[in-house]
Amino acid sequence: MRKKILAGNWKMNLNNYEANNLAKEILVNSQKKEKIDIVLIPSYIYLSNVVSLCVNRPDIFVGSQDCSAYASGAYTSEVSANMLRNIGVKYVLLGHSERRSYSFETNEKILQKIHQVINNKMNVIFCCGESIDHRNENKHFDWIEKQIKETIFYLSAEEIKNVIIAYEPIWAIGTGNTATSSQAQEMHAFIRNLIKSKYGEFIAKSISILYGGSCNPSNAHDLFSKNDIDGGLIGGASLKSDDFIQILASFK
Ligand code: PGA
């Protein structure tokens, strides 16, 4: 009943030519699959172009890596959710650990952005994840619960339907140390239970929860075969079309 999703977070990589090529290669080499949506998440400046390349593929969507917490006005350099919606963006990535640490984004700020995205009828890919210290101290469940309670739990039952959760342990991002499929499954089941405790079973079962953090062609199948892992948010391996396409072929 819930969607399988494969999202590629290109981060601050690729020049214009490379971004164009990567999108084209993914378009050519991926076949439309009934139950899997693809989300390409390039830098702001490539969004319009990637949206127009994907126009004939109803299974491929374009996402932004961020948006402003404000609706409009004197916020030099910021990009509003409404502007993104206007050019055909359907998803916005929020709460990524790189934004939380390098740009000091708090749960409060992330919640403001979530409201902007939902008010503009787009979908949020909400990231949460613990540090290695939290895990070693056995505080990882408490940490994720706090991140979720201080953000998406403020949404109504109607609004939460527009949220996809991405569990991304910080120690696994870009390190090659992926979580084992049982570590990931354990946390995904915990997150789903949390959603159930607030929004009920039906909504909990319909929300897609993605895994992110050094997911690649060799570990994707094992991760995606777990009951509560509905796909992946891929960083490094999304920059090579071959790897991304192989990950796409890893769904059970
Ligand atoms: P990674 O990044 O796949 O390179 O670990 C994932 C992410 O940060 O979304």
Side-chain angles (χ1 to χ4, degrees):
M1 66 193 274
R2 55 185 180 259
K3 274 270 178 194
K4 303 276 184 200
I5 297 173
L6 186 64
N9 174 12
W10 297 357
K11 307 192 181 183
M12 198 175 73
N13 290 298
L14 310 173
N15 63 29
N16 190 31
Y17 175 80
E18 292 163 340
N20 211 30
N21 266 358
L22 178 57
K24 281 183 183 164
E25 284 170 14
I26 290 170
L27 281 161
V28 170
N29 295 316
S30 62
Q31 260 122 44
K32 184 177 172 346
K33 291 189 183 170
E34 200 56 21
K35 293 192 190 79
I36 307 173
D37 283 349
I38 295 175
V39 186
L40 304 180
I41 313 178
S43 297
Y44 280 135
I45 54 168
Y46 305 141
L47 285 170
S48 276
N49 194 30
V50 179
V51 167
S52 45
L53 287 172
C54 298
V55 74
N56 291 321
R57 283 289 293 268
D59 59 321
I60 305 189
F61 300 89
V62 179
S64 169
Q65 295 176 16
D66 191 22
C67 75
S68 176
Y70 309 102
S72 68
Y75 300 101
T76 301
S77 92
E78 300 229 1
V79 176
S80 73
N82 187 259
M83 291 170 181
L84 295 169
R85 177 194 183 183
N86 228 253
I87 61 164
V89 168
K90 301 286 186 211
Y91 288 81
V92 181
L93 189 63
L94 294 175
H96 193 282
S97 64
E98 287 152 16
R99 298 285 318 161
R100 291 178 191 261
S101 69
Y102 306 140
S103 299
F104 312 106
E105 282 195 10
T106 58
N107 286 334
E108 198 184 354
K109 178 65 83 184
I110 293 161
L111 178 59
Q112 284 178 287
K113 294 184 174 193
I114 290 171
H115 283 306
Q116 291 296 332
V117 174
I118 305 254
N119 291 344
N120 280 284
K121 309 214 165 356
M122 294 182 291
N123 301 297
V124 174
I125 301 179
F126 169 77
C127 303
C128 55
E130 82 283 359
S131 67
I132 192 65
D133 289 348
H134 283 133
R135 183 162 279 265
N136 288 341
E137 290 161 15
N138 212 21
K139 291 185 180 146
H140 45 301
F141 293 112
D142 289 348
W143 182 255
I144 299 297
E145 184 167 341
K146 179 173 158 64
Q147 285 187 324
I148 288 180
K149 284 194 168 161
E150 292 182 1
T151 54
I152 55 176
F153 265 25
Y154 283 95
L155 299 176
S156 68
E158 207 42 53
E159 290 171 331
I160 194 100
K161 292 177 186 162
N162 302 304
V163 174
I164 286 135
I165 297 170
Y167 168 58
E168 297 206 308
I170 299 170
W171 47 271
I173 297 177
T175 59
N177 298 328
T178 187
T180 64
S181 56
S182 41
Q183 282 173 323
Q185 165 60 27
E186 185 185 33
M187 184 59 86
H188 283 227
F190 173 80
I191 292 170
R192 203 177 300 287
N193 253 321
L194 210 55
I195 301 291
K196 182 176 158 193
S197 70
K198 167 125 177 116
Y199 296 100
E201 186 157 13
F202 183 80
I203 289 181
K205 280 189 170 166
S206 63
I207 285 196
S208 301
I209 308 179
L210 315 183
Y211 170 78
S214 297
C215 183
N216 60 41
S218 47
N219 57 34
H221 180 75
D222 186 26
L223 287 160
F224 297 172
S225 64
K226 297 291 180 190
N227 279 345
D228 290 292
I229 303 183
D230 306 309
L233 175 57
I234 318 297
S238 73
L239 297 171
K240 295 187 204 110
S241 64
D242 285 355
D243 284 357
F244 194 67
I245 298 296
Q246 275 189 57
I247 296 174
L248 184 63
S250 308
F251 283 96
K252 59 181 170 184

